[in-house]
């Protein structure tokens, strides 16, 4: 260690004094450090001299260069202790700028000491932490601000040990945040507490900081303190977990939401989603939901605005992957909930699947057990009568519920978990038979695999109206009649019923092929028709009401052996028939199961009310009502002009929460947003329509999203870009026949409102590369190839270069699908358009395409040699150097590296080598350079600029 460096380099702030020369206007370091030789002081002594100089700037520079000082003196223990003593004395400097410079150097110094000092914990505890703690109470505001930032950096980098946190850092923060503390210090301390909560262990926060935070939430002296608490409430909830949140924080949150200062209520509305994430489903539903409704209806407009912005995210916290059938992966993509695994584990263990977002007590599960409705398939001949359409799950420990089976597999109605819910034994829907009525495990047959559990009809159908009361009334009216006078009426009613069923069957035949819902209805009606025919045959021997209690499951020849008598008041099949007839008479297929709806039925409010009454209570109805009302024009006037944008932004999350079976609740809202006059609302929907398609599935997508998607294709460029960026993601979700409808429309993307919007065409080329896999080679040749060639002639070079990659991908598509004839036609088109192009950029493009074809091995090498190589070699005489440069690169670095040309007996090798020799003697030095460059050095030369020169 010879001399102290004459300059100090701050790696963080880039104050490099070595770059300052004599002509620099700024002061040089030599103005503060004496020239070596002027005195006979040792380097450490000279450092000490200038560290305590009367010149403030001298001390400031020394503080700024402390990291270099430690690097020079840390090897010798005695010198290191001397430097630490200088740091301690420098921390007591009266000048705030020196103290600020010193504090800003502590994080890099701590990292250096951690890496190079074995006694780092002792050094940090004895020297650096006391400085940080003392500066938290510094009278200068800038020093305190810098110290707060440094403390958070040290905690984030895990440089402060647990002992120092609990015995040094937390005590000073608790002292500063005491109720009788200075107001300014108190506000700063509570801000640090809130920010550092996420960096500490749960036990530390709950034991040391949570009591003080709860006290500060009720600080009536300074509203700024309460506002800081409200703004960071969600972070504290995440840090302490669900149990402490519900026990200590939720009551304080209620107080803050009712604060007299509107800013407090606004802050609560902004962090409401984070608080909900840390709460159980029960608390979220019974306590937070009513509280949020109060914020949405707050008299202050700013509070309402914040609440409506948080409404969609808050609703999304009710999402349960096992109910919605989808979940967000770690990469943010929507994925299908793993059905088989959960089904197997549910049957094996007999215990409920854990719910996301909170725990559900066993008591609540027992009191709110919902039956699981399995696939309603007709039993085969010879099967036991115990094989039922309903298969509740039971275990020896009690009645349990598997949410996967109750929502995803069976599509059954989800029920409310709150104590206010009515008992399930009182439900009038006969589809939901209570498990308690069948306690024996032997009386129910569990299916063998997951495929048997799933049925499209049950999964997609909207709950049908309950007509059991009507049937009971019908039975009560029929029973008092005498047998003699009731028999003719019964026969007449049976004939009428058969004729009605026959009419409905005929009307459903034309829709049967493509709609699984209709297929299921046809099956039920066919069975009912056979049963009606059987009843008419057995009429003299049976009672008038026997047909309402028996269901035929086979043809008339074996009817007497296969009749099933149910213990319920009416059979499931006859109820299904009645419901189908009722829905058919209404002339309406329910939302989500039919692609065609009459406009008159759309305007009829009665089905909507029925759907609402049967909606599974996934979220409280008032929340959904408020969310749907965000499209009301009056909201824009009284709340926020951008409220529709916030509604559109959060709609996929709300749809995921409700599940595809409840899409009818949001369908009108989505259509209203899609036709909003503000283009940014439509743009928001366009960017997320592909995600919504994943949530809804292919049937609802084809029925409800495709028309809106088609409208976006003809919208402004600002809206079309949202569709274009995820065009592949949307098209791959459609059926093949629907997907082919867009082949002709793809060329419309080439035309934009503003021709200078080249990024639009660039995005189109990128999407076309992905879309190629969705279409057949013939479709690619007839439609997409012409778009690619048009993009290759674009005025902007970036569009042309990405289009060349598209051309190569098209060639690969043809040859990978054994369509060599299409490939040859395309190659001839490329030769005509690019090799013989009058502009040099076209000929350069041909060289690049050939290079990419060889590099990616898109076509067989013999095909390349026969059809492309002669035209490529002819570019050696091109008058433009940029064309010859790319030719040299293609031949030297790509073509000769292929095994096909390494064979000495290859007849084409000699021609290629002669061309390379000619290029090596080219008059242009760039051409000769790349023709001579060895392939092993190609990675060390950046030739991107040369490739894209125009």
């Amino acid at each position: 260690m010879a001399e102290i460096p004459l300059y100090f380099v701050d790696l963080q702030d880039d104050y490099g004094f070595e770059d300052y020369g004599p002509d620099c206007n700024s002061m040089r370091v030599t103005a503060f450090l004496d020239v070596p030789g002027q005195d006979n002081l040792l380097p450490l002594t000279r450092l000490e001299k200038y560290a305590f100089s009367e010149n403030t700037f001298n001390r400031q520079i020394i503080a700024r260069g402390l990291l270099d000082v430690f690097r020079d003196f840390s090897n010798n223990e005695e010198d290191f202790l001397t430097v630490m003593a200088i740091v301690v004395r420098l921390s007591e400097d009266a000048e705030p700028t020196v103290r600020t410079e010193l504090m800003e150097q502590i994080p890099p110094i701590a990292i250096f000491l951690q890496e190079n000092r074995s006694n780092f914990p002792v050094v940090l505890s004895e020297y650096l932490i006391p400085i940080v703690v003392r500066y938290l109470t510094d009278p200068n505001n800038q020093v305190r601000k810098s110290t707060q930032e440094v403390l958070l950096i040290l905690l984030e980098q895990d440089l402060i040990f647990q002992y120092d946190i609990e015995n040094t850092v937390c005590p000073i923060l608790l002292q500063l945040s005491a109720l009788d503390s200075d107001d300014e210090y108190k506000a700063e301390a509570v801000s640090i507490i809130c920010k550092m909560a996420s960096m500490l262990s749960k036990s530390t926060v709950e034991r040391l900081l949570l009591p003080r935070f709860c006290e500060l939430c009720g600080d009536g002296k300074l509203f700024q303190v309460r506002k800081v608490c409200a703004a960071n409430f969600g972070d504290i909830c995440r840090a302490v977990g669900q149990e402490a949140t519900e026990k200590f924080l939720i009551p304080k949150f209620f107080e803050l939401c009712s604060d007299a200062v509107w800013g407090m209520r606004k802050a609560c509305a902004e962090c409401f989603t984070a608080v909900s994430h840390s709460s159980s489903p029960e608390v979220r539903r019974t306590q937070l939901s009513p509280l949020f409704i109060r914020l949405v209806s707050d008299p202050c407009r700013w509070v309402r605005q914040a609440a409506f912005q948080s409404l969609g995210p808050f609703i999304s916290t009710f999402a349960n992957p096992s109910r919605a059938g989808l979940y967000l992966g770690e990469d943010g993509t929507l994925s299908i909930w793993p059905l088989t695994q959960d089904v197997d584990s549910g049957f094996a263990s007999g215990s409920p699947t854990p719910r996301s977002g909170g725990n559900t007590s066993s008591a609540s599960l027992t009191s709110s057990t919902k039956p699981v409705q399995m696939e309603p398939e007709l039993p085969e001949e010879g099967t036991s009568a115990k094989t039922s359409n309903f298969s509740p799950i039971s275990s020896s420990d009690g009645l349990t519920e598997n949410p996967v089976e109750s929502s995803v597999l069976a599509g059954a109605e989800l029920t409310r978990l709150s104590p206010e819910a009515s008992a399930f034994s009182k439900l009038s829907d006969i589809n939901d038979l209570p498990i308690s009525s069948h306690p024996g495990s032997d009386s129910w047959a569990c299916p063998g695999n997951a495929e048997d559990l799933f049925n499209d009809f049950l999964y997609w159908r909207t709950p049908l109206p309950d007509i059991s009361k009507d049937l009971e009334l019908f039975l009560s009216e029929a029973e008092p009649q005498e047998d003699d006078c009731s028999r003719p009426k019964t026969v007449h009613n049976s004939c009428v019923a058969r004729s009605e069923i026959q009419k409905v069957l005929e009307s459903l035949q034309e829709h049967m092929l493509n709609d699984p819902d209709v297929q299921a209805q046809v099956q039920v009606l066919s069975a009912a028709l056979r049963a009606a025919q059987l009843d008419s045959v057995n009429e003299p021997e049976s009672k008038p009401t026997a047909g309402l209690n028996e269901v035929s499951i086979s043809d008339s020849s074996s009817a007497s052996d296969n009749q099933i008598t149910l213990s319920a008041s009416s059979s499931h099949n006859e109820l299904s028939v009645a419901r189908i007839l009722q829905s058919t008479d209404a002339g309406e297929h329910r939302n989500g199961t039919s692609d065609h709806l009459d406009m008159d039925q759309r305007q009829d409010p009665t089905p909507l009310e029925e759907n609402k009454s049967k909606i599974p209570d996934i979220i409280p109805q008032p929340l959904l009502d408020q969310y749907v009302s965000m499209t009301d024009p009056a909201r824009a006037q009284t709340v926020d002009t951008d409220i529709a944008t916030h509604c559109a932004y959060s709609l996929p999350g709300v749809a995921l929460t409700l599940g595809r079976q409840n899409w009818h609740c949001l369908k009108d809202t989505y259509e209203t947003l899609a036709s909003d006059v503000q283009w940014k609302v439509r743009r928001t929907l366009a960017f997320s329509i592909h995600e919504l398609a994943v949530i809804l599935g292919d049937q609802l997508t084809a029925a409800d999203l495709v028309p809106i998607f088609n409208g976006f294709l003809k919208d402004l460029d600002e809206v079309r870009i949202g569709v274009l960026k995820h065009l592949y993601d949307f098209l791959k979700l459609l059926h093949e026949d629907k997907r082919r409808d867009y082949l002709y429309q793809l060329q419309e993307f080439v035309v934009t409102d503003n021709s200078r919007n080249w990024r639009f065409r660039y995005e189109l080329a990128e999407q076309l590369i992905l879309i190629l896999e969705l279409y057949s080679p013939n479709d690619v040749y007839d439609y997409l190839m012409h778009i690619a060639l048009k993009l290759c002639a674009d005025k902007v070079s970036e569009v042309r270069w990405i289009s060349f990659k598209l051309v190569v991908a098209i060639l690969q598509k043809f040859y990978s699908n054994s369509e060599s004839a299409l490939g040859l036609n395309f190659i001839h088109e490329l030769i005509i358009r690019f090799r013989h192009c009058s502009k040099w950029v076209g000929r350069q493009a041909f060289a690049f395409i050939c290079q990419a074809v060889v590099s990616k091995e898109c076509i067989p090498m013999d095909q390349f040699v026969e059809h492309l190589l002669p035209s490529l070699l002819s570019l050696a005489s091109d008058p433009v150097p940029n064309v010859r440069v790319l030719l040299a690169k293609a031949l030297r670095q790509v073509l000769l590296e292929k095994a096909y040309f390494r064979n000495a007996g290859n007849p084409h090798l000699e021609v290629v080598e002669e061309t390379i020799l000619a290029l090596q003697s080219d008059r242009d030095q760039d051409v000769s350079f790349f023709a001579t460059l060895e392939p092993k050095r190609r990675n060390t030369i950046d030739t991107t600029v040369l490739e894209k020169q125009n």
Side-chain angles (χ1 to χ4, degrees), residues 54 68 110 216 229 240 259 271 275 294 376 437 495 522 549 576 794:
E54 294 182 357
D68 281 340
L216 294 173
C229 292
V240 300
D259 199 282
C271 71
V275 177
R294 284 168 46 190
S437 62
C495 295
V522 170
N549 295 320
S576 301
D794 198 89

Side-chain angles (χ1 to χ4, degrees), residues 171 181 202 206 307 311 560 602 708 790:
S181 176
K202 176 182 175 181
E206 190 171 348
L311 177 56
S560 60
R602 286 177 180 267
I708 294 175
K790 185 177 296 185

Side-chain angles (χ1 to χ4, degrees), residues 403-419:
V404 177
E405 291 130 2
S406 64
S407 63
V408 181
L409 299 178
E413 299 176 8
L414 301 176
T415 54
R416 126 181 5 248
L417 295 177
S418 60

Side-chain angles (χ1 to χ4, degrees), residues 745-777:
Q745 299 183 38
L746 289 175
Q747 61 184 353
E748 297 178 2
F749 281 108
V750 181
V751 181
T752 58
D753 297 338
N754 184 1
S755 59
R756 296 181 180 179
N757 189 8
W758 62 269
R759 290 180 178 83
F760 195 93
R761 301 188 296 276
Y762 183 93
E763 188 66 40
L764 173 61
E766 283 192 326
Q767 287 294 311
L768 288 178
I769 295 176
L770 301 174
I771 289 174
L772 291 178
E773 70 176 56
L774 302 178
Y775 295 101
S776 65

Side-chain angles (χ1 to χ4, degrees), residues 250-376:
I250 292 297
K252 296 297 179 182
F253 192 63
F254 269 78
E255 295 178 5
L256 291 174
C257 289
S258 304
D259 199 282
V261 181
W262 67 266
M264 230 71 62
R265 305 194 301 274
K266 179 176 180 291
C268 290
E270 292 171 348
C271 71
F272 212 97
T273 302
V275 177
S276 179
H277 273 298
S278 302
S279 305
S280 65
E282 185 70 19
V283 172
R284 185 181 302 128
R285 179 181 300 278
T286 59
Q287 299 184 35
L288 294 183
S289 295
L291 180 62
F292 193 88
I293 295 298
R294 284 168 46 190
L295 293 176
V296 168
S297 307
D298 195 272
C300 178
R301 175 171 181 166
W302 306 112
V303 178
R304 296 197 305 272
Q305 178 177 329
F308 273 108
Q309 291 180 15
S310 301
L311 177 56
F314 175 56
I315 291 177
S316 67
T317 62
F318 288 83
N320 189 333
S322 61
R323 293 186 303 197
L326 299 166
Y327 71 99
L328 281 175
E330 295 181 357
D331 57 352
T333 58
L334 276 174
S335 304
I336 303 297
W337 184 259
L339 302 178
T340 305
Q341 177 181 357
D342 292 331
V343 170
D344 295 341
S345 62
F347 283 135
S349 62
S351 60
T353 301
R355 297 181 180 271
S356 61
N359 300 325
T360 306
S361 63
S362 58
S364 64
L365 282 175
T366 304
S367 61
S368 1
T369 303
K370 186 182 184 306
V372 181
Q373 180 177 341
M374 298 305 176
E375 178 181 358

